[in-house]
Amino acid sequence: MMNIGPQVSTRVNDPDSVDAAILSRFSARAYLSQAVERSVLQELLSIAARAPSGTNTQPWKVYVLQGAKRDELVAKTCAAHDAISANPALAADYAEAYDYYPEKWVSPYIDRRRECGFGLYGVLGIGKGDKAMMHAQHQKNFRFFDAPVGLIFTIDKVMGRGSLLDYGMFLQSIMVAARSRGLHTCPQAAWNGFSNIILPLVGAGDNEMVVCGMSLGYADESALVNTFQTTRVAAQDFTHWVD
């Protein structure tokens, strides 16, 4: 990683590239088998470590899974996912450690959620009520969408909710830095319910909680699923100028 020198005097000479990295980030759901060098992953994480955090607590901890360990996690989690599908009562054994989504959905959030879901399934030709196809598509989360690199992010349970805000900035930093290297990502809350499988497998401590997972690799540009684009609310619709 290049040493940028004093931060206060650093000039961004190519702001268009910074914007392009942000604007081209999306949740890629199909990847090539092409490996990602460890040196590249180390560089990404070193850059992301500059993300801000309250009083510089830096609450993130990252487990990088490749090869046999990645495949082991995929196999065990997919088996659990299939078991839950066959017997929904088993879902109680896989409770999330924190509420990522609200208990009660209201507009406009439920509308955006539905638009996203219907849009993705529409691109893939998955009809409403096709539970088998929905299950298969959802399970691709637990295969890291065939990406060669799976990331699991944890946090010490002692930390407060503000540290999850810090974590979001860290995750975004990884994803934007990945774009500058031709890589794509998909952050995944889907992993959160399977901490009792994940934490022992990666060697995490009893004090750790899963924040989310992430797929990382070279996106398959020929995959139909990667043509799906989510919409964004226009800035003028969520911005309030207080003069």
Side-chain angles (χ1 to χ4, degrees):
M1 182 176 63
M2 181 177 64
N3 186 349
I4 63 174
Q7 292 161 304
V8 69
S9 61
T10 297
R11 298 290 180 265
V12 177
N13 295 321
D14 188 6
D16 288 344
S17 291
V18 177
D19 293 350
I22 296 171
L23 293 172
S24 64
R25 187 222 62 81
F26 79 110
S27 294
R29 294 179 173 88
Y31 294 83
L32 303 175
S33 59
Q34 182 179 349
V36 181
E37 295 295 328
R38 177 171 290 199
S39 60
V40 173
L41 297 172
Q42 290 173 329
E43 194 171 60
L44 290 177
L45 294 171
S46 294
I47 291 169
R50 294 303 311 174
S53 58
T55 63
N56 201 33
T57 49
Q58 305 173 67
W60 34 79
K61 189 168 186 178
V62 186
Y63 295 91
V64 183
L65 292 102
Q66 297 173 282
K69 274 297 181 183
R70 174 205 169 281
D71 295 346
E72 182 182 354
L73 177 61
V74 166
K76 289 183 176 180
T77 309
C78 286
H81 185 237
D82 285 337
I84 293 169
S85 180
N87 181 8
L90 293 176
D93 297 333
Y94 299 97
E96 297 181 357
Y98 72 98
D99 294 329
Y100 185 90
Y101 293 112
E103 288 186 16
K104 181 179 180 181
W105 286 93
V106 298
S107 291
Y109 315 111
I110 184 62
D111 308 310
R112 295 170 187 166
R113 176 184 173 94
R114 286 170 175 163
E115 179 187 29
C116 181
F118 292 152
L120 175 62
Y121 287 164
V123 166
L124 295 174
I126 300 175
K128 185 177 180 180
D130 190 341
K131 293 183 179 180
M133 288 294 292
M134 290 179 181
H135 177 78
Q137 179 58 35
H138 186 61
Q139 189 168 104
K140 290 181 180 181
N141 277 280
F142 310 121
R143 301 182 186 279
F144 290 110
F145 299 108
D146 295 326
V149 181
L151 304 173
I152 296 294
F153 301 93
T154 71
I155 192 170
D156 195 312
K157 294 175 183 177
V158 73
M159 302 305 287
R161 287 188 294 177
S163 290
L164 293 177
L165 175 65
D166 300 337
Y167 226 119
M169 292 183 278
F170 174 70
L171 295 170
Q172 174 76 347
S173 296
I174 293 174
M175 293 186 284
V176 171
R179 290 301 303 120
S180 72
R181 288 153 178 81
L183 295 160
H184 275 289
T185 55
C186 184
Q188 299 168 262
W191 287 99
N192 294 9
F194 294 94
S195 60
N196 59 352
I197 295 175
I198 297 168
L199 297 177
L201 189 145
V202 301
D206 293 338
N207 61 311
E208 292 177 58
M209 176 182 81
V210 173
V211 174
C212 68
M214 183 183 291
S215 301
L216 186 150
Y218 295 96
D220 183 351
E221 296 183 10
S222 68
L224 183 62
V225 70
N226 284 338
T227 66
F228 174 62
Q229 294 187 4
T230 52
T231 60
R232 290 295 186 273
V233 176
Q236 61 264 29
D237 292 337
F238 61 71
T239 304
H240 303 272
W241 300 96
V242 184
D243 298 323

